[in-house]
Amino acid sequence: MEFRVEADIPEALKGLKFDWKVDGRSFSGQGTPVIQIATERKDANSNITAEVKILGEAAKCSVYLSDSGGVAPRLPNESLDEWGKLDPNDIRGRLDVLFSSLSNNPKYEGVLVLSFGTEETRAYKLRRLNLIYNHIIFRKFDQRRISFFLGKDTFERTVVWQIPAGFDYSEIGIDETKLIKAEEFKIKITKAFEDK
């Protein structure tokens, strides 16, 4: 985020001193007409207020200004994680991160987009999907909150999304009618690769 003091005539800012204050935050640019504040994900949906005291040496006076700016919410279409071929235990560890995140966000759903390369067999694909499904069962995580989507790619890749309720799946290239809910997994997954 950036705050700046501007003047109709830029030369009017020359020779002035700028004393900035931003509560509880570090920033760069102290003493200049422009400061930059680094924001983090935890700042989403919050406001940041900056105050500046402008000192005019020649006129021996000062002016106080303040302004606030809002930090944008975290976009719902930011993926939570992504990986290629991994050892089964590494996949389980990443799934645990997803489960933890979803536990902290009860109105969100986890969607795993699984793509496979052309060389992977049907048996390999089913093994990989079963590994994920079995870990959901092992952790006793609510199956209604996890969905699978079979994507297309030239190499193996898994992208994990954390989706809020009412989100338009088409924004991230997912056809909602082709989602496989974890609770329907055993019924639908055996047919998933019949034409592959």
Side-chain angles (χ1 to χ4, degrees):
M1 179 175 283
E2 185 175 274
F3 288 91
R4 64 174 57 237
V5 176
E6 294 181 337
D8 291 338
I9 303 169
E11 291 77 26
L13 299 177
K14 289 183 180 173
L16 299 177
K17 293 183 180 175
F18 302 88
D19 182 21
W20 292 91
K21 288 188 180 159
V22 183
D23 287 341
R25 295 181 175 275
S26 58
F27 57 90
S28 61
Q30 182 64 280
T32 71
V34 182
I35 62 167
Q36 288 91 27
I37 303 165
T39 59
E40 301 175 14
R41 285 178 183 254
K42 65 182 181 181
D43 297 318
N45 283 326
S46 67
N47 285 316
I48 296 175
T49 300
E51 299 175 352
V52 62
K53 178 178 170 184
I54 305 170
L55 305 162
E57 221 174 278
K60 305 258 189 239
C61 65
S62 59
V63 175
Y64 291 88
L65 300 173
S66 73
D67 198 6
S68 294
V71 180
R74 178 183 171 199
L75 294 174
N77 61 347
E78 289 182 9
S79 63
L80 186 66
D81 199 359
E82 183 175 340
W83 65 83
K85 280 196 179 200
L86 282 180
D87 177 86
N89 284 333
D90 289 334
I91 292 172
R92 291 181 186 104
R94 287 172 181 253
L95 290 171
D96 286 340
V97 172
L98 170 63
F99 301 158
S100 174
S101 182
L102 289 173
S103 294
N104 292 325
N105 296 286
K107 293 185 178 178
Y108 281 64
E109 172 190 16
V111 177
L112 293 107
V113 178
L114 295 113
S115 303
F116 296 94
T118 53
E119 72 282 356
E120 275 91 13
T121 64
R122 180 178 185 274
Y124 174 85
K125 295 172 186 175
L126 289 172
R127 265 197 318 274
R128 192 56 92 191
L129 285 159
N130 276 306
L131 168 78
I132 295 168
Y133 175 74
N134 290 335
H135 196 63
I136 295 167
I137 300 301
F138 174 75
R139 290 295 186 209
K140 297 182 174 145
F141 196 80
D142 185 351
Q143 294 180 50
R144 295 168 299 178
R145 298 188 61 207
I146 302 287
S147 294
F148 298 90
F149 182 77
L150 303 176
K152 294 186 178 177
D153 215 322
T154 55
F155 57 94
E156 183 176 334
R157 181 168 72 141
T158 303
V159 181
V160 180
W161 299 91
Q162 187 170 272
I163 307 291
F167 181 71
D168 180 1
Y169 289 87
S170 65
E171 287 187 33
I172 55 172
I174 291 178
D175 178 351
E176 192 172 357
T177 64
K178 295 185 179 176
L179 280 176
I180 300 171
K181 298 280 185 191
E183 60 187 331
E184 307 167 313
F185 183 85
K186 289 291 186 189
I187 300 164
K188 291 188 173 180
I189 208 61
T190 53
K191 299 178 183 176
F193 301 108
E194 285 181 351
D195 60 337
K196 309 236 180 320

